[in-house]
Amino acid sequence: MATIADAKEDADSNKRGIADPERVLLIRGTQVVTVNVGSGGDAESWIIHKRLLTHHSPFFAAALKGNFAESATNTVSLVEDDPDAFKLFVQWLYSGELALGELASYSKSLPRVACLAWALGDKLQCPVFQDRAMLQLLAYHKREYLVEDTVWLIYNVSPPGSKLRSFAVDVACYDKIEHRPLGIGVDGIMAVEDFNRDLIDGLAKFDRTDGEEDPCDEGSRYLKVLDFETNKVEGETD
């Protein structure tokens, strides 16, 4: 079982600490919650400060109050969610940052775990965490091409009209128009019907005359609450 100490050690290993005084206050209490994530041999359990968890996640705040069983036991099970993505969520809870670190510590590639983290943030209603995951995707795809597996995953874990889907479509359009090698085969595109439709619509809207900015340089359109230039919540100061 992973503990609070594990989360702090992960933050320290990435040269992060408790990011702000607010987080310090939220971990002063002794009440903790057990969160079981995943199923089978990959399942993990975490013990997390309750005030910290419920402050940052309306999902957990709702689950841990009232007459729900989770409220009585202070235990929440997320059997359908990804343990690696939740590990990133715990790191973010305690540090205020999202650093994937060495990919060797994860069983999945960076874009895959970042997409899963974005989807987890959507479920837990944590837009700042989602934006941190999106910033990782933007930085990665600034230097790497979008590939079929990533598109398939994005369209399976995000709803229509989401910023994550918009990101995938815009990057694919930019790659195609700029004649960059598109890592998505025709069969792969056709297999993801919604993406095929969105890509056609996206290509029709792209400006072929004046050219388009690389979507990874114009990342603000894919963020919910963070400022793309400062990586802070809009209006927030040091």
Side-chain angles (χ1 to χ4, degrees):
M1 177 180 290
T3 65
I4 293 167
D6 293 328
K8 291 179 179 177
E9 183 179 348
D10 283 336
D12 290 340
S13 70
N14 287 297
K15 297 184 179 179
R16 303 288 196 273
I18 298 301
D20 54 62
E22 180 185 52
R23 278 182 164 77
V24 175
L25 293 175
L26 292 171
I27 64 173
R28 290 178 65 184
T30 58
Q31 228 179 349
V32 295
V33 176
T34 299
V35 183
N36 302 313
V37 188
S39 59
D42 294 330
E44 292 184 358
S45 295
W46 290 87
I47 298 175
I48 305 170
H49 286 97
K50 186 174 183 177
R51 288 182 65 197
L52 184 68
L53 193 61
T54 56
H55 175 80
H56 287 289
S57 170
F59 172 90
F60 280 112
L64 293 166
K65 70 178 182 181
N67 297 321
F68 291 106
E70 290 86 352
S71 178
T73 62
N74 275 329
T75 300
V76 179
S77 294
L78 303 174
V79 295
E80 296 181 354
D81 293 296
D82 182 77
D84 280 345
F86 195 81
K87 179 179 180 179
L88 291 176
F89 175 70
V90 176
Q91 288 180 340
W92 171 77
L93 276 180
Y94 282 92
S95 72
E97 300 290 340
L98 182 60
L100 297 188
E102 294 296 326
L103 286 179
S105 65
Y106 297 95
S107 61
K108 304 170 184 68
S109 68
L110 187 151
R112 180 171 177 79
V113 75
C115 288
L116 291 171
W118 190 97
L120 178 66
D122 198 43
K123 176 176 180 175
L124 302 184
Q125 299 171 269
C126 297
V128 176
F129 178 65
Q130 286 184 281
D131 283 356
R132 294 291 180 195
M134 179 58 73
L135 288 170
Q136 295 280 342
L137 285 169
L138 289 166
Y140 180 86
H141 286 96
K142 179 64 180 173
R143 62 184 188 274
E144 300 289 345
Y145 305 127
L146 185 69
V147 298
E148 185 176 313
D149 286 350
T150 302
V151 171
W152 183 91
L153 178 63
I154 286 172
Y155 271 73
N156 275 274
V157 301
S158 63
S162 69
K163 290 181 180 294
L164 188 60
R165 288 195 180 190
S166 294
F167 160 78
V169 171
D170 289 351
V171 171
C173 288
Y174 179 78
D175 284 351
K176 186 171 182 62
I177 289 174
E178 293 299 314
H179 305 293
R180 295 170 64 183
L182 188 62
I184 307 169
V186 174
D187 291 343
I189 291 175
M190 297 305 294
V192 186
E193 183 177 346
D194 288 349
F195 176 70
N196 183 43
R197 182 194 63 238
D198 291 346
L199 182 64
I200 292 171
D201 290 344
L203 287 170
K205 294 174 184 176
F206 259 59
D207 188 343
R208 288 176 167 79
T209 303
D210 297 328
E212 286 284 342
E213 290 284 344
D214 185 337
C216 295
D217 290 333
E218 297 290 325
S220 57
R221 73 186 75 167
Y222 313 113
L223 301 179
K224 293 187 171 184
V225 294
L226 291 183
D227 181 273
F228 182 62
E229 298 300 327
T230 65
N231 291 351
K232 295 179 181 295
V233 176
E234 292 190 10
E236 180 183 65
T237 58
D238 291 328

